[in-house]
Amino acid sequence: MAGSIMIRRIEHQDVPALFVVRVATRENVLSLDQLASLGITEATIHEAIEGSHAGWLYEDQGRVVAFAMGDYEGKELTVIAVLPDYEKQGIGGQLLTQVENWLKSKGCDEICLSTDLDVKLRAYGFYRKWGWVDNKIEKGNRYMCKRLN
């Protein structure tokens, strides 16, 4: 399997595969219709990566199995998604580090994200492990931030 696993920057041709991963996550599950109602469509992702967003994906034998994206204008981690079969392998942390390093290179000294209120979900522990701290709770979401030094 050597050489079949790789992390690389997201490109336009990857966008459809991102949605396959995003709707298959174990936590914070959203359907394509729910994502669209939030303004997240293939078209808006194409626009985002032409603008202030960038992301990295994890491929296993050419199949996208995880990805993360950030927005330097919003100073935020916008999404991280990992297929259930690839959880607990360090992939999320590698992708998170890529996005954080990119955001730092774009001049962000503090970044934020929004996540579920439930601290029992794996996502909350994951973010805490990587140095994110609670900032506020608003409109049914937990906001966490991290200083990039």
Side-chain angles (χ1 to χ4, degrees), residues 27-76:
E27 292 183 357
N28 190 22
V29 178
L30 295 171
S31 69
L32 290 175
D33 287 341
Q34 289 169 315
L35 289 167
S37 74
L38 297 170
I40 303 167
T41 65
E42 287 189 22
T44 62
I45 297 303
H46 285 292
E47 290 173 20
I49 62 178
E50 284 294 317
S52 62
H53 291 68
W56 283 260
L57 59 78
Y58 190 94
E59 279 183 325
D60 185 358
Q61 299 182 25
R63 176 182 173 224
V64 177
V65 299
F67 73 97
M69 293 181 73
D71 171 13
Y72 69 80
E73 284 182 356
K75 298 183 178 182
E76 76 174 312

Side-chain angles (χ1 to χ4, degrees), residues 50-140:
E50 284 294 317
S52 62
H53 291 68
W56 283 260
L57 59 78
Y58 190 94
E59 279 183 325
D60 185 358
Q61 299 182 25
R63 176 182 173 224
V64 177
V65 299
F67 73 97
M69 293 181 73
D71 171 13
Y72 69 80
E73 284 182 356
K75 298 183 178 182
E76 76 174 312
L77 172 71
T78 55
V79 63
I80 187 164
V82 180
L83 289 177
D85 289 348
Y86 289 83
E87 292 175 351
K88 299 182 182 180
Q89 296 180 30
I91 296 167
Q94 291 176 52
L95 292 169
L96 180 64
T97 299
Q98 289 283 340
V99 174
E100 288 177 355
N101 288 341
W102 176 76
L103 288 167
K104 185 176 180 178
S105 79
K106 291 293 194 178
C108 299
D109 57 357
E110 182 177 57
I111 56 176
C112 295
L113 61 82
S114 65
T115 190
D116 195 279
L117 291 175
D118 189 351
V119 297
K120 294 178 187 148
L121 293 177
R122 287 182 56 245
Y124 182 74
F126 170 81
Y127 294 128
R128 297 280 301 172
K129 173 185 169 187
W130 286 95
W132 293 78
V133 296
D134 287 312
N135 181 16
K136 64 182 175 181
I137 293 175
E138 185 176 277
K139 298 180 183 173

